[in-house]
Amino acid sequence: MVDLTSNLAGITSPNPFWLASAPPTNSAYQVMKAFDCGWGGAVWKTIGEPIVNVSSRYSSVNYKNFRMMGLNNIELITDRSLADNLRELREVKKHYPKHALVASLMVESKRETWHTYVKQVEDCGVDGLELNFGCPHGMSERGMGSAVGQVPDYACQITEWVKEVARTPVIVKLTPNISNIVYPGLAAQKGKADAVSLINTINSITGIDLDTFEPRPKVRGHSSHGGYCGPAVKPIALNLVAALTSHPEFKLPVSGIGGIETWQDAVEFMLLGATNVQVCTAVMHYGFRIVDGLISGLTEWMQAKGFEKLADFRGKTIGRIKDWGDLDLNYKIVASIDRGKCIGCQVCYIACEDGAHQSIALSGDPKDRVPKVLEDVCVGCNLCSLVCPVDGCITMKEVDNGRPSVSWRQYQAKLAAGPAAAH
Amino acid sequence: MGIANPAIPLSPEQIAKNLADIAPAMLAEEAYAEASRCLFCYDAPCTRACPTSINVPEFIKRIAARNIVGAATTILDANLMGASCARACPTEVLCEGACVYNHEKAPPIQIGRLQRFATDPVVLSGKMVLSMAPPNGKKVAVVGSGPGGLAAAGELRRLGYAVTVYEAKDQPGGLNTFGIAPYKLTNADALAEAEYVRKMGVEFVLNTRVGKDISIDKVNDDYAAVVIAIGLGATAPLGITGESIDGVVGATEFIEQVRRDPAKVTVGKRVVVVGAGNTAIDAATEAKRLGADQVTILYRRSEKEKPCYEYEYMLAKKDGVVFQWLTAPVQVQAQRGAVSGLKCVKMKLGKPDASGRPAPEPIAGSEFNFACDMVIKSTGQQKLIELYRQVKGLVERGGKVQVNESMQTGNPKWFAVGDCVSGGKEVVNAAADGKRAAYGIHRMLFGDAAVPVRKPGPRLEKPAPHPPMPF
């Protein structure tokens, strides 16, 4: 029997699937519906001083006929009144005591203001706080959001202020719009945060109308840089999560965010150490109902792998993300094309010939369209297997070259030790 | 047409419905989704399978990138008849049949419909997209305005020639206008394609039969070169008694009547079509769609040898056309001057004949009468030999004009394209011929250098593989 319950720094939820602080968590109406659908938790749309939003607010990037591979927004924090938000938080918690309800906060960088807001939302019975140090648009111009997250000292300072009064766990939400995620991550830890969540959105301009030259999303002929999210950002999010979880000094639990749409996406974040995950774009695309598939997929996978609880596999991949200099230079693979599966598109040929290492040849006979791998020059780059449209047709096979494992670091060390040691 | 037992005439609305497009135009979203499935094969099999070598992956990628005019340019640059080929091509044996998705048991890319999606907005609206050389001072005549003639004329115009097309009929387009089932290609679309070639600067002279209304000698003297694109003639006789009885028609003539005005065509309640080629299928399905209760195709060989494409066969079967294999007509039977039946004989397959297929042989004593009200003959068309005989040096064999790889006949000034050369092939084959003839003429008049070939520039050698680690 698989147990999906999750515990992020003391915040428990029936499963690890939370809604991220965003339009889907704007109201009790939405969050209650989401909990009915099966979501384990929700981080409320960020609460702060009153703001006014623009129209329009979202813009997206399509890939071929797939919509919203990436989504960008210039929407700000909640534009509902503090009183409404507090009343609804209280109602949700009353009716859904077992679900995780986290209040997201973003206010001006004043100790008293933070204290006031923390007390007010905690009085509603929320299970935790998420400090929004991440939004890269609008609020950052007013010294909030990513303007805080980009300066580790500010992030640390505000976290400390919050921790002075907070009775519930404090999650610091990090911005990816920095040069090294480790600094703000360690700053949150120094400020005594209980967990971090990442990533917030990435600064972006999603597109331009080629007829009118207006950038998107259009606001009376103009636009602003916005926060990018959706499936396109997942690899960036995974890398930033791994950078923190594999750092020896970083000890906080992580809530993974960034382009999660399928159960596989969620598992990847957890394999890199995330305790739970937060989802936004996929819900903005398909609605709350997608949680069924997330739960089902994760459950089936855990059963197949023999995992009983999330901790059984959490972080399993962390040790496998190494510095490049520690990879084995003598590991050798070459491409292998399955003649029976090949459909003869020859995309692998032209990709390798023009785009990589000229290691695939054509047969020369127009009737035999199966290309041949030139194993003596194949560098084992994977490109052909990536472009091949048939699953399992091109595989990379290990070649036993009889050479012992050696990394660049070891190689340099041997070179430094002199030619005698090298041979 | 005197038919003793005509089918109940259909309303104009019903006729329009029955003859409506069987492969309707794609909606934009449908086209973009389909285009995005294309794998962009290298040295693509679809392009190799196309007689005009359209760069299919390129035009499909342009559609996916919402560059429809660019897609049409890619198509028309290779094949000026791209709009009619998009509708009339047997794509399942050409580009779509070659699509690599077939090897994955996945549906091939709908290349024909995508090609229509790209070419319609350009060809039907007469938007000029192709590069044209300045006038080169030479005049060329094209005899016949079917797809082969139009392709030759348009390509010659692009190469700078002043081109005049002579057409015996009152409307241009040849088989595209008069010889293809209307549910594949409408009159309006066929005429729009001819109009496109006219708009490119080609002159059309209609109602003028070369060799009769204007002499071969005059054409020979007035033009630097001539392209014969006259196709085939009337339906060939079956060679049985009773063929002149009312109710016996040729498939070519029947289809032309349907194309001119389907409401004016009377079909019998029971129709027999003799022959099982693609034209026979067109005639049979049209007769069915015009209200015939029962349409039977007689073929003297078996199902295995049927000359029509599988797609056409399935289409006829779906329309309710019945196939009677190993059956040959012997005599048309009449009552009160109109068809009442067709006396037939059962056949068996013998040893392979000259065509390589088993020769059908009548089974003695197996004659039987097939009751019907109309007989449509579709076992081939006559060859227009009278014209060939007037061209000095032109050689024909079995009614087919003999040409070299440039479509040049025995008379160096005269070229020939399309069905009069092939004996009867597809629109796309005629279009390929037309282009080849145009370039053949250009080489003949201006030399090989006039047709530039892009040669690769210099290359350094590929890098050698990296040596293995020293330890």
Side-chain angles (χ1 to χ4, degrees):
Chain A
M1 194 52 201
V2 166
D3 175 11
L4 292 186
T5 52
S6 118
N7 183 336
L8 180 82
I11 308 172
T12 57
S13 58
N15 64 53
F17 300 111
W18 290 12
L19 291 170
S21 174
T25 59
N26 192 45
S27 63
Y29 171 81
Q30 289 164 291
V31 171
M32 288 164 139
K33 186 179 172 193
F35 286 164
D36 285 346
C37 285
W39 288 91
V43 184
W44 202 263
K45 173 99 173 167
T46 303
I47 293 168
E49 300 290 331
I51 57 93
V52 179
N53 268 309
V54 291
S55 161
S56 59
R57 305 175 192 179
Y58 311 142
S59 167
S60 70
V61 174
N62 299 336
Y63 185 68
K64 293 191 173 176
N65 58 333
F66 289 95
R67 302 285 162 157
M68 243 162 79
M69 175 194 79
L71 175 71
N72 139 311
N73 85 90
I74 55 169
E75 188 171 299
L76 302 184
I77 61 174
T78 182
D79 53 11
R80 307 179 68 216
S81 75
L82 178 63
D84 283 348
N85 279 311
L86 294 177
R87 180 172 44 79
E88 292 189 4
L89 278 171
R90 190 171 277 126
E91 283 292 314
V92 171
K93 197 61 223 175
K94 188 170 96 192
H95 293 287
Y96 296 85
K98 291 196 169 136
H99 292 74
L101 184 65
V102 174
S104 170
L105 296 176
M106 184 201 287
V107 295
E108 58 178 338
S109 296
K110 283 188 182 152
R111 190 180 180 200
E112 297 71 30
T113 314
W114 277 99
H115 283 182
T116 308
Y117 274 83
V118 167
K119 284 175 190 157
Q120 287 185 93
V121 296
E122 285 196 335
D123 284 348
C124 300
V126 298
D127 302 295
L129 305 173
E130 187 179 79
L131 312 188
N132 184 342
F133 296 166
C135 279
H137 51 272
M139 304 308 283
S140 54
E141 295 166 16
R142 306 176 198 175
M144 292 177 265
S146 64
V148 173
Q150 285 167 339
V151 184
D153 289 347
Y154 294 174
C156 175
Q157 174 70 75
I158 293 174
T159 307
E160 282 172 359
W161 291 341
V162 169
K163 285 298 288 183
E164 286 166 3
V165 292
R167 288 168 280 137
T168 61
V170 174
I171 308 162
V172 170
K173 186 165 181 178
L174 301 175
T175 174
N177 301 301
I178 37 79
S179 53
N180 187 344
I181 195 74
V182 170
Y183 298 116
L186 290 178
Q189 182 170 288
K190 189 177 163 207
K192 300 281 188 293
D194 299 284
V196 295
S197 57
L198 70 164
I199 59 173
N200 204 309
T201 54
I202 303 171
N203 248 329
S204 64
I205 290 172
T206 32
I208 295 168
D209 184 324
L210 298 188
D211 294 319
T212 64
F213 315 126
E214 299 166 283
R216 297 190 176 97
K218 299 174 185 178
V219 182
R220 205 189 289 283
H222 299 81
S223 191
S224 185
H225 63 87
Y228 196 50
C229 56
V233 312
K234 189 186 77 172
I236 296 164
L238 287 175
N239 177 52
L240 294 179
V241 167
L244 279 184
T245 56
S246 56
H247 194 277
E249 289 167 37
F250 186 81
K251 308 288 181 200
L252 297 182
V254 169
S255 181
I257 312 170
I260 295 164
E261 180 171 316
T262 66
W263 65 268
Q264 289 97 332
D265 299 331
V267 169
E268 286 171 335
F269 275 89
M270 294 183 201
L271 287 170
L272 287 174
T275 299
N276 71 2
V277 293
Q278 299 184 28
V279 178
C280 168
T281 310
V283 167
M284 291 182 71
H285 198 157
Y286 302 111
F288 297 127
R289 61 200 164 125
I290 64 161
V291 74
D292 273 346
L294 294 174
I295 291 170
S296 159
L298 177 59
T299 306
E300 292 296 326
W301 178 78
M302 285 174 67
Q303 264 165 3
K305 296 285 175 197
F307 297 132
E308 290 173 358
K309 51 191 190 303
L310 301 176
D312 291 351
F313 66 92
R314 182 187 308 137
K316 265 190 173 303
T317 301
I318 292 174
R320 291 174 180 267
I321 310 266
K322 292 185 161 187
D323 283 351
W324 191 95
D326 291 326
L327 300 178
D328 183 0
L329 295 171
N330 274 336
Y331 174 66
K332 168 82 172 159
I333 54 172
V334 296
S336 166
I337 300 173
D338 183 335
R339 284 192 68 89
K341 285 184 179 163
C342 177
I343 59 174
C345 70
Q346 298 183 350
V347 171
C348 60
Y349 162 75
I350 199 64
C352 183
E353 178 69 14
D354 288 358
H357 302 94
Q358 299 83 45
S359 308
I360 296 182
L362 299 178
S363 74
D365 171 7
K367 288 198 196 81
D368 177 10
R369 292 189 53 91
V370 182
K372 272 196 213 28
V373 176
L374 307 174
E375 292 189 7
D376 52 335
V377 289
C378 175
V379 302
C381 75
N382 279 350
L383 181 64
C384 55
S385 70
L386 302 178
V387 299
C388 178
V390 182
D391 281 346
C393 174
I394 302 185
T395 48
M396 306 303 294
K397 298 225 157 43
E398 186 169 355
V399 178
D400 180 9
N401 55 11
R403 292 169 177 278
S405 176
V406 62
S407 70
W408 177 254
R409 220 181 286 261
Q410 292 164 330
Y411 178 56
Q412 293 303 304
K414 287 190 186 191
L415 285 181
H423 288 279
Chain B
M1 194 196 310
I3 289 176
N5 198 12
I8 300 161
L10 304 177
S11 68
E13 295 76 30
Q14 191 63 49
I15 292 175
K17 196 178 158 207
N18 289 358
L19 298 182
D21 222 333
I22 52 168
M26 275 180 157
L27 299 173
E29 287 309 316
E30 189 184 7
Y32 297 145
E34 184 67 3
S36 71
R37 287 181 62 226
C38 177
L39 299 171
F40 207 59
C41 294
Y42 179 75
D43 184 20
C46 48
T47 295
R48 281 185 173 268
C50 176
T52 62
S53 303
I54 292 173
N55 189 340
V56 176
E58 176 63 27
F59 96 69
I60 291 180
K61 204 161 182 60
R62 291 184 186 197
I63 292 176
R66 315 296 200 257
N67 177 6
I68 310 306
V69 171
T73 306
T74 298
I75 296 162
L76 297 175
D77 186 52
N79 179 354
L80 273 169
M81 299 291 102
S84 55
C85 287
R87 297 159 163 86
C89 262
T91 51
E92 71 284 353
V93 296
L94 297 173
C95 51
E96 293 178 21
C99 178
V100 297
Y101 271 125
N102 291 298
H103 302 304
E104 219 182 358
K105 303 274 182 278
I109 302 291
Q110 296 178 56
I111 299 168
R113 293 184 70 209
L114 285 171
Q115 180 163 317
R116 176 172 171 183
F117 177 80
T119 50
D120 274 5
V122 168
V123 173
L124 303 188
S125 72
K127 183 182 175 66
M128 291 294 117
V129 296
L130 297 172
S131 58
M132 301 251 210
N136 63 25
K138 303 271 187 198
K139 294 194 320 184
V140 178
V142 175
V143 185
S145 67
L150 290 177
E155 289 296 338
L156 285 161
R157 178 66 200 85
R158 292 185 69 194
L159 292 167
Y161 293 86
V163 186
T164 305
V165 175
Y166 291 96
E167 169 55 53
K169 289 194 200 287
D170 54 339
Q171 288 183 315
L175 284 185
N176 278 358
T177 306
F178 297 116
I180 290 173
Y183 50 74
K184 289 184 199 157
L185 180 56
T186 66
N187 292 32
D189 294 342
L191 293 174
E193 199 169 47
E195 174 61 18
Y196 192 79
V197 174
R198 194 194 63 76
K199 217 174 155 187
M200 287 171 72
V202 170
E203 183 194 6
F204 283 77
V205 181
L206 302 177
N207 297 303
T208 303
R209 186 176 289 276
V210 170
K212 185 168 158 254
D213 301 319
I214 173 171
S215 76
I216 297 286
D217 286 347
K218 178 155 175 55
V219 171
N220 190 67
D221 294 346
D222 285 356
Y223 296 95
V226 187
V227 179
I228 306 173
I230 55 176
L232 302 170
T235 300
L238 296 170
I240 61 173
T241 50
E243 279 191 64
S244 56
I245 292 167
D246 271 0
V248 181
V249 293
T252 312
E253 293 74 19
F254 173 73
I255 294 168
E256 177 167 344
Q257 286 174 346
V258 174
R259 287 299 298 263
R260 284 187 183 272
D261 190 353
K264 284 194 184 143
V265 177
T266 306
V267 296
K269 269 196 157 57
R270 297 164 301 174
V271 178
V272 167
V273 179
V274 180
N278 296 311
T279 306
I281 302 280
D282 277 3
T285 54
E286 284 168 41
K288 199 82 177 62
R289 286 162 189 247
L290 289 173
D293 292 342
Q294 177 196 313
V295 177
T296 309
I297 282 184
L298 299 190
Y299 182 54
R300 58 193 182 141
R301 290 187 175 90
S302 74
E303 180 181 3
K304 206 175 134 205
E305 290 82 25
K306 65 181 183 311
C308 65
Y309 294 121
E310 198 60 29
Y311 168 80
E312 299 286 337
Y313 180 46
M314 297 319 290
L315 186 68
K317 288 183 92 158
K318 232 169 87 183
D319 274 8
V321 173
V322 175
F323 287 77
Q324 177 92 34
W325 309 112
L326 293 164
T327 305
V330 177
Q331 186 186 350
V332 182
Q333 298 187 315
Q335 272 178 10
R336 287 184 292 280
V339 171
S340 65
L342 190 61
K343 189 176 167 192
C344 299
V345 63
K346 290 276 190 192
M347 310 292 279
K348 63 177 187 207
L349 295 178
K351 293 211 173 81
D353 60 14
S355 75
R357 297 172 299 175
E361 295 162 4
I363 301 170
S366 69
E367 288 83 359
F368 66 102
N369 186 48
F370 201 105
C372 63
D373 313 302
M374 183 182 194
V375 174
I376 301 176
K377 302 179 286 183
S378 187
T379 54
Q381 284 172 262
Q382 291 172 315
K383 315 292 191 288
L384 297 167
I385 299 175
E386 316 83 64
L387 185 137
Y388 309 152
R389 288 190 178 146
Q390 297 178 56
V391 179
K392 212 164 70 182
L394 184 146
V395 180
E396 56 90 10
R397 203 169 291 152
K400 297 181 193 175
V401 181
Q402 302 297 299
V403 295
N404 65 14
E405 68 284 349
S406 295
M407 312 311 289
Q408 193 174 32
T409 71
N411 182 328
K413 200 170 161 177
W414 289 65
F415 289 68
V417 301
D419 286 358
C420 67
V421 174
S422 67
K425 275 191 168 176
E426 299 300 328
V427 173
V428 68
N429 300 107
D433 284 0
K435 188 174 170 183
R436 201 170 297 134
Y439 280 88
I441 288 168
H442 200 48
R443 279 197 198 89
M444 174 183 76
L445 296 176
F446 290 95
D448 286 344
V451 182
V453 181
R454 201 199 286 181
K455 285 195 186 122
R459 295 279 187 281
L460 297 185
E461 278 182 27
K462 293 177 185 179
H466 190 277
M469 293 290 294
F471 48 81

